[in-house]
Amino acid sequence: METVVGIEDNDDGKLEDSVVDRSSSAALSSSPKKISNPVVYKLVRVEGDGRLVPATDDEVMEVEDFLEYENSEMRVVADTGQSLECISIERSSSGKLRLECSEEADLGKLNAKFQYIEQMLQKVKQEERLRLSSRSPVHSHVKIDSQCSADKFPVVNEKVRSETPYQEAPSIASSLNYSHSNQSGSIDQCSRPSEGVIESGSSASDVYSTSKHNFSMPEGEICLDKLSIKELHELFKVTFGRETTVKDKQWLKRRIAMSLTNSCDVSATTFTVKDNKITRKCEEECSGNASAAAVISVKNMAGEGCGIEDNQVASETRLKNLNVENELRDEDQQREERAAKRIRKPTKRYIEELSENESREHIPRSSSSNKNIGHGHVSPTAYVEPARSAFPEARMFITRFDSLGGSDVQIPCVSRVRRSRPRKNIKSLMKFLPTGVGEAAKLSNGSDADSEIQDKVSKPCSMPVKMHLLSTTESVKEKQCLVIGTTEPRQELRPKRIDPSSNTSEGDIVTVPTAKGGMRRKHHRAWTLVEVMKLVEGVSRCGPGRWSEIKRLSFSSYSYRTSVDLKDKWRNLLKASFAQTPADEGMNSRKHGTAPIPEPILVRVRELAEMNSQAPQNFSSSKLTASGPGSVHGDRLGYL
DNA sequence: GTTAGGG
DNA sequence: CCCTAAC
């Protein structure tokens, strides 16, 4: 069998540098002009006996402006074997991609395509089986024949001849050996036909060889999910005509699925790609067709950035850089990278998060440890730059490769700085500050000693400290959502709750889910009965709404109670007092954790609410007045 | 800076 | 308790 892949420049017959340059690394983006040359890919069909037959000239698929570059043009010749499949994709000036299939691209063709894929997969499986059984090395010979006629259809043909159905280790690496072939130069020059025999063959050629139809997978269904990386690579290769180094399964599956989906008008065909499954809707005639044909080449990834990469002239790479293995790799990588660049950069938060995970897991960031971290997106593919891995400490930011949106991206790892509330023991430090400590001790009566100290101290003397508190608190608010519970050791989050018996406790910092799915941290401190009474008293004295004043008068020593807190608490008290009365303690007794608010207090709250017209409408005022205790009457007279 | 009210 | 619009 033989595989013929042709690249041509149908413009003026010059294949030359346009192809060469294009496949050379990074040249693509920098020199759009060269890409303007149309290129024709000639694919092959697989005969029933496993032979591959080159496509003919008229089996041409035109892809216009396939790349994002305005003038680029690409033609793909596809032969499905039985009949011609012609798919034309063109992008209008508006950037919209139009895709159309020729009349001949009928169900039969698509079925053939499907079958081809099946065969390919089977082939791969077979290979793996054989490889596993560790047989004696069998090498296949790949014959590459490039010929280029300058006149009509200057085509470089790469004839790949595989003489054995499988190769020993059809890995990416081995297929890269491809590039060692001695005819590489001829391809570059294109005008000189050449031939080369390659040991160890390419996996691509293996793929093209057919084998009997014995599938483990259900007929008419290929589940990408079940494929190994290697299989996906093969499929990728067949699909896009080039190899990939990406080992991200998701990425591969996505690409392949998209390609298969978009290579033709699927809706009108027998294929459906759903959930990474390629399924064939039709049943009938095509099923037995052994002469499956291979035709996959075009795909439309418009609008997805990565599209360019794939749209890159498929097998150029192989045809061209046949001699430099590393270049090939580099280029491939660069393509992935370039594609990646079109994807949004990872957010700061994302980076931090990942870094966070890493440091937590104590994974040394060595060159080889590109393991999945956190979200399973890290691509093991990642080639860590030698310089980088050699001197990791020399860089402030160590980068790693990650796959974002299916493309490899380099992501800097930053070591995270402390981003949380300052340690609670900052207070102990503050105690040593010269001001106010003495009187604070004198003022405090037990429970509030701590806070009072803090209050006194922080007010007059410690501006810097205060500012620190503020700033950190603020940043915490914003960013901490995702790192809660992970960033900080518990001891910091839950500081000294050493003496639960005393109300000195600072209160817990609890995290609550926020509307946006994140978490926010709040400093919770339960209201004590004393505080409640003070509040009620304050309200009775100043009236509801004058929270600042109440705060000033009654809560001057409670630095942690803001006027807003008072207001909120009052609101709650109001609610509680009116809610519970009818049901008689219903709510109150239900809450075990918090001590129920004594009825007298609630009564007074109700009273105050009533006189300030804060009582709910439906509440009977008669009952209120009747039960109103006289004891507090004097206090509130002034407000009546 | 406070208040009021929603979350 | 947090956030914020409206004072």
Side-chain angles (χ1 to χ4, degrees):
Chain A
M1 76 164 195
E2 54 186 26
T3 300
V4 180
V5 179
I7 290 187
E8 67 143 346
D9 181 340
N10 69 352
D11 231 0
D12 50 6
K14 282 189 298 180
L15 175 64
E16 75 315 306
D17 45 314
S18 68
V19 172
V20 172
D21 281 339
R22 222 177 305 180
S23 47
S24 62
S25 59
L28 205 143
S29 53
S30 58
S31 54
K33 172 223 160 216
K34 310 199 171 176
I35 303 173
S36 63
N37 297 314
V39 175
V40 168
Y41 286 92
K42 209 184 252 182
L43 298 189
V44 298
R45 71 163 183 249
V46 182
E47 290 292 24
D49 57 358
R51 283 194 331 127
L52 292 182
V53 177
T56 58
D57 288 343
D58 45 319
E59 303 164 344
V60 172
M61 194 189 317
E62 275 229 9
V63 180
E64 197 175 344
D65 199 4
F66 196 48
L67 307 180
E68 69 171 308
Y69 311 97
E70 287 315 316
N71 299 324
S72 66
E73 183 178 324
M74 202 162 112
R75 307 171 94 218
V76 178
V77 181
D79 184 1
T80 62
Q82 305 299 311
S83 55
L84 178 66
E85 175 178 357
C86 191
I87 302 173
S88 164
I89 297 179
E90 47 182 82
R91 173 146 53 187
S92 64
S93 50
S94 66
K96 243 172 103 178
L97 274 176
R98 187 161 63 89
L99 183 149
E100 56 191 23
C101 299
S102 73
E103 288 73 16
E104 289 181 298
D106 54 11
L107 300 189
K109 240 128 295 161
L110 290 164
N111 278 297
K113 183 190 290 186
F114 184 83
Q115 284 189 347
Y116 173 76
I117 293 169
E118 284 182 335
Q119 289 181 7
M120 188 277 298
L121 290 174
Q122 187 204 350
K123 174 77 180 124
V124 175
K125 283 190 188 302
Q126 210 173 54
E127 283 174 16
E128 284 185 335
R129 268 199 302 276
L130 287 168
R131 200 174 66 238
L132 286 179
S133 62
S134 72
R135 302 285 285 271
S136 61
V138 182
H139 56 259
S140 55
H141 292 265
V142 179
K143 185 177 180 184
I144 295 186
D145 180 4
S146 60
Q147 50 185 236
C148 188
S149 57
D151 43 27
K152 58 170 234 180
F153 243 48
V155 173
V156 175
N157 282 332
E158 181 186 5
K159 219 181 280 178
V160 181
R161 177 168 292 141
S162 177
E163 310 197 342
T164 50
Y166 64 92
Q167 67 183 72
E168 166 148 81
S171 63
I172 298 281
S174 76
S175 59
L176 286 172
N177 286 342
Y178 210 34
S179 51
H180 285 317
S181 71
N182 56 0
Q183 87 303 341
S184 55
S186 68
I187 289 178
D188 284 348
Q189 283 141 25
C190 148
S191 51
R192 176 174 96 228
S194 67
E195 236 178 22
V197 177
I198 300 175
E199 299 280 324
S200 95
S202 76
S203 37
S205 64
D206 294 332
V207 169
Y208 289 163
S209 69
T210 57
S211 15
K212 289 318 150 211
H213 210 300
N214 69 341
F215 261 115
S216 53
M217 61 189 86
E219 264 283 353
E221 181 178 74
I222 297 174
C223 182
L224 294 181
D225 286 321
K226 290 174 184 158
L227 302 183
S228 66
I229 291 283
K230 178 175 171 10
E231 289 167 325
L232 287 171
H233 275 156
E234 300 297 346
L235 188 45
F236 185 95
K237 195 188 305 176
V238 177
T239 305
F240 298 121
R242 69 176 185 86
E243 291 168 7
T244 182
T245 54
V246 174
K247 294 195 179 68
D248 186 323
K249 267 196 173 184
Q250 283 306 118
W251 187 88
L252 291 167
K253 286 188 289 191
R254 213 160 51 91
R255 289 302 187 83
I256 293 166
M258 283 184 102
S259 166
L260 294 173
T261 309
N262 294 323
S263 61
C264 196
D265 187 8
V266 174
S267 61
T269 72
T270 58
F271 291 102
T272 54
V273 177
K274 195 187 291 181
D275 298 332
N276 281 329
K277 276 186 176 179
I278 309 164
T279 52
R280 175 172 44 189
K281 284 186 255 177
C282 93
E283 341 56 22
E284 78 310 336
E285 70 274 20
C286 38
S287 59
N289 192 348
S291 62
V295 183
I296 309 166
S297 49
V298 190
K299 81 174 185 298
N300 169 6
M301 302 273 293
E304 212 200 326
C306 14
I308 307 147
E309 177 212 350
D310 294 310
N311 296 336
Q312 297 301 350
V313 232
S315 37
E316 256 172 19
T317 305
R318 260 186 299 171
L319 292 176
K320 210 250 357 285
N321 282 341
L322 284 182
N323 28 7
V324 194
E325 185 168 331
N326 283 336
E327 265 184 39
L328 190 57
R329 284 166 62 108
D330 286 349
E331 179 188 1
D332 213 298
Q333 181 186 340
Q334 284 183 26
R335 285 185 181 187
E336 319 287 2
E337 259 184 84
R338 186 175 54 249
K341 277 174 189 156
R342 316 192 79 238
I343 294 178
R344 78 171 164 79
K345 291 200 301 190
T347 63
K348 195 175 171 188
R349 190 160 105 183
Y350 180 77
I351 294 169
E352 285 178 355
E353 216 181 325
L354 285 175
S355 306
E356 185 83 11
N357 286 331
E358 275 171 44
S359 56
R360 215 163 14 110
E361 293 170 19
H362 296 72
I363 295 181
R365 289 232 56 75
S366 72
S367 58
S368 56
S369 68
N370 287 293
K371 277 216 65 134
N372 262 7
I373 293 165
H375 310 292
H377 282 319
V378 175
S379 166
T381 311
Y383 303 93
V384 173
E385 289 175 28
R388 223 165 261 169
S389 51
F391 313 101
E393 58 281 88
R395 297 176 66 88
M396 207 71 174
F397 299 91
I398 302 173
T399 64
R400 71 126 146 322
F401 285 100
D402 197 344
S403 77
L404 268 186
S407 299
D408 284 352
V409 193
Q410 219 171 3
I411 297 175
C413 301
V414 297
S415 56
R416 192 184 180 74
V417 294
R418 178 183 181 80
R419 237 203 203 161
S420 55
R421 237 173 253 269
R423 301 171 183 283
K424 290 301 175 184
N425 16 2
I426 188 101
K427 276 200 315 183
S428 9
L429 292 177
M430 288 165 69
K431 284 182 181 174
F432 292 109
L433 292 174
T435 330
V437 176
E439 46 188 280
K442 144 184 92 187
L443 285 174
S444 66
N445 53 1
S447 71
D448 302 319
D450 203 337
S451 52
E452 284 199 54
I453 290 173
Q454 182 186 12
D455 193 34
K456 298 272 179 193
V457 169
S458 61
K459 244 189 232 165
C461 66
S462 53
M463 264 308 262
V465 175
K466 263 200 134 172
M467 296 194 52
H468 182 204
L469 281 165
L470 280 178
S471 63
T472 47
T473 302
E474 204 159 274
S475 64
V476 164
K477 273 184 197 168
E478 187 152 282
K479 316 253 182 168
Q480 73 191 170
C481 326
L482 291 176
V483 296
I484 284 189
T486 67
T487 314
E488 314 186 280
R490 274 283 174 251
Q491 51 181 101
E492 286 183 40
L493 281 178
R494 306 269 162 129
K496 43 175 175 186
R497 189 68 174 190
I498 309 169
D499 186 6
S501 62
S502 85
N503 278 337
T504 306
S505 65
E506 268 248 349
D508 289 339
I509 299 176
V510 298
T511 60
V512 298
T514 201
K516 282 175 274 185
M519 298 288 268
R520 85 183 167 191
R521 185 181 298 171
K522 66 178 186 181
H523 198 169
H524 181 71
R525 191 166 197 166
W527 277 76
T528 66
L529 193 56
V530 174
E531 288 172 320
V532 172
M533 291 192 297
K534 283 194 174 196
L535 174 61
V536 173
E537 178 195 306
V539 170
S540 68
R541 194 183 336 174
C542 309
R546 312 188 59 170
W547 307 114
S548 318
E549 193 161 340
I550 296 173
K551 151 88 176 162
R552 205 164 38 244
L553 294 177
S554 304
F555 289 83
S556 59
S557 56
Y558 297 79
S559 62
Y560 49 92
R561 298 297 184 201
T562 68
S563 56
V564 175
D565 289 331
L566 302 185
K567 182 256 311 178
D568 285 341
K569 183 58 181 174
W570 179 253
R571 182 170 52 177
N572 288 336
L573 283 175
L574 231 49
K575 202 177 357 175
S577 66
F578 284 104
Q580 134 195 319
T581 304
D584 224 30
E585 304 265 335
M587 256 283 280
N588 233 357
S589 54
R590 221 180 295 146
K591 293 185 122 194
H592 316 303
T594 61
I597 298 173
E599 181 61 19
I601 295 183
L602 289 176
V603 168
R604 181 154 181 203
V605 168
R606 239 177 356 247
E607 208 177 83
L608 290 168
E610 181 74 9
M611 75 174 76
N612 289 289
S613 48
Q614 283 183 322
Q617 304 263 8
N618 58 353
F619 196 78
S620 83
S621 57
S622 61
K623 180 180 181 182
L624 228 182
T625 45
S627 66
S631 59
V632 286
H633 232 33
D635 284 341
R636 61 184 211 270
L637 277 176
Y639 298 100
L640 286 170

